[in-house]
Amino acid sequence: MGNIKWMINQYAGERPSDLMELFSLEEAKRARAFHEGLPAYAATPLHSLDGLARSLGVGGLYVKDESERFGLNAFKGLGASYALSRLHSGSEETVTFATATDGNHGKGLAWAARELGQRAVVFLPAGSATERVDAIREQGADVRVTELNYDETVRLAEVEAARNGWVLVQDTAWTGYEKVPRLIMQGYLTLIDEAFGQLEEASAPRVTHLFLQAGVGSFAAAMAAYAVARLGMDAPKIIVMEPDKADCFYQSAQTGDGAAAVVGGDLDTMMAGLACGVPSPDAWAILRPLAAHFVSCSDEISAEGMRILAGPAAGDSAVVSGESGAAVAVGLLDELCIRSPECASELGLDENSVVLVINTEGATDPANYRKVTGGEACGGRI
């Protein structure tokens, strides 16, 4: 099986970042109102995997399935469309929006630009799957695959946008570039607002654990901030997960001064959507006091999660998860609860636990999905 490293967050309980106010219930309602006005909008499903929960020995397991969002097979269209709408509000000028991506964000941006009658230029890192490149090109974007890793590709997109007069729409922040990433993060709030509303409608028990994938961390930070804003002292324990080849938040949590750490190299992980070595400063500022644990895991953890979700327990729905989707959390839960019960106990996972995970993508790399699971994926479903 795969390898995992996990640690208790030494910074948990620090004073929350002032950025928290950007991800309030009011901001979530504003983003959701915008998305509900889009022709392609429909709330994505929330699956209750009772059979899998029983086999893991936890009280409940819920999967918010973003593979069906806007027909894009991933959640990223939420952030891109919201940001573009705010950036282009009231303007009749045709604008070119540019970004770097590992796949899903670029496809979301290309789709949003097309929906708004604008242009998009999308840069991808070396080694990007052909299917991901083609999916972005099909949305009408000018796609450029580089010979660089993800973080270097981000810098290239920044330079090219400035040189050509394009508007950079990147989902990670850095000093002097904060407005756009924050708009993108606010756009993500629609999915978590839907999820907690669906849990209430189903009279589900209180969620005790929220497992969140981190690449640059923007998604995880927005979800964590919303959960705390909504539930306060009853907020779930937040577990942040990363691939071991790109575990910049796990490494950041080990520093003694609270500073963010950078992971270099080619970031060679199957979890392409999480292959980021430089954490967003905004995301680290939010997650540093809110996360209970940080976890670094090998690709096999995600692969096992993909297989488990593709071949569901009796009574459960099949869920098609890409490498960076709910598979990461499900593979981790399987490793902890079945093979390392002492670790599960230390994370507070037991028969009273109710776990929420987010399937941020379906089979965005169909060839690898077939290789890992032995099955075919059609859209977001088997």
Side-chain angles (χ1 to χ4, degrees), residues 20-84:
M20 292 283 290
E21 65 186 31
L22 297 175
F23 309 102
S24 64
L25 302 189
E26 181 180 353
E27 290 295 345
K29 286 180 171 53
R30 183 179 303 172
R32 187 168 177 179
F34 163 75
H35 289 127
E36 288 176 342
L38 297 177
Y41 173 80
T44 55
L46 180 75
H47 304 293
S48 179
L49 303 186
D50 297 333
L52 180 55
R54 284 192 296 272
S55 70
L56 294 172
V58 296
L61 175 59
Y62 294 87
V63 179
K64 176 65 169 170
D65 191 0
E66 290 295 299
S67 68
E68 301 183 19
R69 183 71 69 181
F70 298 140
L72 297 174
N73 211 9
F75 79 106
K76 289 283 191 174
L78 289 169
S81 61
Y82 188 66
L84 264 61

